[in-house]
Amino acid sequence: MQTAADAGDAATLLAAVPAGRRVALVDPRFVGHVHALRLGLTDPRFAAATVPGALTAQPEARGALLRALRRTTAAVGAGAPVVAPDTDPAPEDRTVPGRIAVALEAEGTAVKRPELGSLTATVPTDAGARATAESARDEVDDEAVRLRSAVKAHDGFFTTFAISPYSRYIARWCARRGFTPNQVTTASLITALVAAGAAATGTRGGYIAAGILLLVSFVLDCTDGQLARYSLQYSTMGAWLDATFDRAKEYAYYAGLAIGAVRGGDDVWVLALGAMVLQACRHVVDFSFNEANHDAVANTSPTAALSDKLDSVGWTVWARRMIVLPIGERWAMIAVLTALTTPRIVFYALLVGCALAACYTTAGRLLRSLTRRASRTDRAAQALADLADSGPLAQGVAAVAPGLRGAFTAPAVALLGTLVMIGGALLLPYGSWLTVAAAAVYVVLSGLAVARPLKGALDWLVPPFFRAGEYVTILVLAARSDAPHAVPAAFGLVSAVAYHHYDTVYRIRGGTGAPPQWLVRTIGGHEGRTALVAVLAAVLTHAAGFTTALTALAVAVALVVLVESIRFWVSSSAPAVHDEGELA
């Protein structure tokens, strides 16, 4: 830390700092909480940020900062004190840091102004104002504020009342001992994998241990995010780990339960895969709807107005959050039922609970879409096209086919293709080449559905229909096959493909766009993989080779998407974020 005598001296000192470092300007008369400065000056997610009396800039904003500081120096004079005349419009902009923040924004550099709430951050101009500011600072315990703000603002009932009251203190304990959120996330994954291994023993003792360990894993899962918010340790690697490990833990646990059930003489692999498919389809409904309306320019839906009204009544908020069976409630249910019942009952409860939640959320989104008047942007259309995951076959059809007009044409065509594909897999004789013909129809209809930009009121349904078409087809064909272990192999294939789809979602959320087109082409797109599985089922009828083929396809997809995903998330182009989105 260095002290500048005036604005000109501050510019000289900043210019001497190595280019790769973050810099900060703080008015020497600043009065406030340490956590206010921490929020304004240490959050790695923003190129520039400010609180009253302080400003920070990351390396990418250093050039703009120096230009703004030199302009301020020219305006107030090189030897002027670090405060501007009282004629400036806002008190927080009268200091040099405040003036520079305004200048940065005028130049086009975004400057984050974090919400301080009850925290104090000010630059008093006389003794009376200073005494008032110090009194206000001393009345608020910034550590208590820091602990409260470590908890996600909108979380589920179980997480809010059964986990967060103590997990925030675990997060503080970890911060004081130098643990990082990534380390806690990894510990949560390892704990969940051990829980899956315990469930795979198929013994009552193993099931009880699995339930307890799953809850411990969830506590750690909450702690990693709270630690990130408490210590402002957001990172690119953390974004990738947090975005993918929840799914990896849950699906690994499903597999562990299925293995344990088989050891006990009850084959529930179809139920396990069904639960995973339903959960993934639920998520893509949420993701697709949110992306379609991410930057909608208007929202006049009476359904949304009713939702806002219900949110003003305390008990309805928690009831609605519990109905959607978020991760906290879901994992608590899984843990308790694992310890007390059987894997079959666990999966029945999951299928019923997730189905009811899917009906509730999808119905609400349909009503909002049908009753709102909003213009959807090119960005939203591109996001939906990326979520559709169309491969070279569907893209080829879309390139030569005229775009079908009509407000609901795209989702109707996508739904028709999905019904043809699933119906063929389910109703036609297993191994029939008519199923391959159904897959060809699915390919054509998939291409027609995305031939025009997805800007219709219900076009956000296109990606969920495609997910259901692919995942359910794999499930049905594997379940109907006589090949041994075909369903566990299908479980692995759907897991690999689902990882790719979740990875796509979180890249779009981070503002860096979907995975590269070469990746989508390499793994075939949803229609290519679906058609390939249909061909394999026809060629390898009643043969163990079907299991081998599904396993090889799962390994190939997993290797390609994991290598590219890891490359992306550890690269400098990935965003430094932490998931604050839906109650997954």
Side-chain angles (χ1 to χ4, degrees):
M1 184 175 68
Q2 300 185 64
T3 302
D6 50 47
D9 190 24
T12 302
L13 290 174
L14 286 177
V17 177
R21 294 184 182 177
R22 174 201 289 267
V23 295
L25 283 173
V26 181
D27 191 290
R29 298 163 301 162
F30 175 86
V31 173
H33 290 99
V34 172
H35 192 52
L37 282 178
R38 189 181 290 113
L39 289 172
L41 303 182
T42 65
D43 195 322
R45 296 174 295 175
F46 310 110
T50 186
V51 295
L55 171 75
T56 186
Q58 299 240 50
E60 60 266 33
R62 285 275 304 276
L65 170 64
L66 279 175
R67 290 192 297 273
L69 182 55
R70 285 165 180 156
R71 287 198 299 272
T72 300
T73 301
V76 302
V82 286
V83 63
D86 288 346
T87 55
D88 282 318
E92 62 269 23
D93 294 339
R94 293 173 185 168
T95 63
V96 166
R99 290 174 64 92
I100 294 173
V102 173
L104 285 173
E105 290 174 319
E107 187 177 312
T109 300
V111 180
K112 175 67 176 179
R113 288 177 167 80
E115 292 290 336
L116 298 182
S118 59
L119 296 175
T120 296
T122 186
V123 178
T125 57
D126 55 51
R130 186 173 190 84
T132 300
E134 290 175 344
S135 176
R137 178 195 62 193
D138 295 341
E139 288 175 358
V140 176
D141 183 354
D142 70 339
E143 179 60 20
V145 173
R146 189 181 182 190
L147 274 173
R148 286 197 302 271
S149 62
V151 178
K152 188 184 291 188
H154 304 287
D155 226 329
F157 181 87
F158 178 77
T159 304
T160 299
F161 294 103
I163 304 297
S164 293
Y166 58 88
S167 61
R168 69 185 75 182
Y169 295 101
I170 300 176
R172 181 172 67 180
W173 182 89
C174 291
R176 291 178 175 177
R177 283 155 182 81
F179 292 108
T180 67
N182 294 351
Q183 291 171 332
V184 178
T185 302
T186 303
S188 176
L189 174 66
I190 292 172
T191 305
L193 294 179
V194 174
T201 63
T203 64
R204 177 51 51 195
Y207 289 149
I208 293 173
I212 294 172
L213 288 170
L214 188 64
L215 288 177
V216 172
S217 175
F218 183 64
V219 171
L220 292 173
D221 183 58
C222 295
T223 300
D224 68 352
Q226 292 166 356
L227 175 58
R229 288 181 285 272
Y230 180 85
S231 56
L232 299 178
Q233 294 185 73
Y234 304 99
S235 69
T236 56
M237 179 66 76
W240 174 61
L241 295 178
D242 190 66
T244 58
F245 275 16
D246 279 351
R247 305 289 81 77
K249 288 180 287 190
E250 189 165 5
Y251 299 157
Y253 192 81
Y254 291 178
L257 279 176
I259 293 171
V262 170
R263 288 187 170 182
D266 187 14
D267 190 343
V268 297
W269 271 107
V270 170
L271 296 178
L273 181 50
M276 183 171 73
V277 168
L278 180 55
Q279 185 62 26
C281 290
R282 274 189 64 201
H283 279 151
V284 77
V285 167
D286 294 339
F287 297 146
S288 188
F289 176 81
N290 289 338
E291 287 304 323
N293 298 284
H294 179 271
D295 47 7
V297 296
N299 182 4
T300 57
S301 167
T303 307
L306 175 61
S307 178
D308 293 339
K309 186 175 182 179
L310 288 174
D311 280 343
S312 65
V313 182
W315 70 269
T316 64
V317 174
W318 297 115
R320 294 169 70 212
R321 291 185 188 177
M322 293 173 70
I323 288 173
V324 300
L325 202 65
I327 188 170
E329 277 75 0
R330 193 166 68 250
W331 282 28
M333 180 183 74
I334 293 171
V336 171
L337 291 179
T338 298
L340 300 180
T341 64
T342 65
R344 180 172 289 273
I345 293 177
V346 173
F347 288 124
Y348 281 153
L350 269 173
L351 288 168
V352 172
C354 289
L356 292 174
C359 291
Y360 171 78
T361 55
T362 305
R365 282 157 172 68
L366 284 171
L367 287 173
R368 288 185 185 219
S369 299
L370 291 171
T371 58
R372 73 185 297 162
R373 293 188 297 274
S375 299
R376 289 177 174 81
T377 63
D378 291 339
R379 178 203 175 279
Q382 183 59 54
L384 291 180
D386 292 333
L387 290 174
D389 192 34
S390 300
L393 297 178
Q395 290 176 358
V397 172
V400 300
L404 298 177
R405 297 184 180 276
F408 309 123
T409 301
V413 172
L415 175 60
L416 178 60
T418 296
L419 293 176
V420 168
M421 186 67 256
I422 295 176
L426 187 62
L427 302 177
L428 293 172
Y430 178 78
S432 169
W433 283 95
L434 289 176
T435 306
V436 177
V441 173
Y442 177 70
V443 168
V444 173
L445 293 177
S446 296
L448 293 176
V450 297
R452 290 176 60 84
L454 298 176
K455 292 187 176 182
L458 296 181
D459 283 0
W460 57 269
L461 286 169
V462 171
F465 287 149
F466 288 163
R467 292 300 81 75
E470 179 179 6
Y471 295 169
V472 176
T473 297
I474 296 172
L475 166 61
V476 170
L477 291 178
R480 296 187 67 194
S481 170
D482 291 335
H485 309 302
V487 179
F491 189 98
L493 175 57
V494 173
S495 297
V497 175
Y499 177 89
H500 163 64
H501 290 144
Y502 282 109
D503 187 51
T504 301
V505 167
Y506 284 99
R507 293 198 200 200
I508 294 172
R509 278 185 173 183
T512 56
Q517 274 297 302
W518 70 260
L519 175 65
V520 178
R521 295 191 190 99
T522 299
I523 60 176
H526 71 93
E527 80 291 348
R529 291 186 298 269
T530 305
L532 177 58
V533 172
V535 171
L536 292 175
V539 172
L540 302 172
T541 306
H542 307 303
F546 185 55
T547 299
T548 303
L550 288 180
T551 303
L553 182 58
V555 171
V557 171
L559 283 176
V560 174
V561 300
L562 278 173
V563 169
E564 162 57 21
S565 177
I566 293 171
R567 181 210 64 77
F568 170 79
W569 285 105
V570 301
S571 71
S572 59
S573 63
V577 297
H578 197 85
D579 180 31
E580 297 288 348
E582 291 76 27
L583 308 177

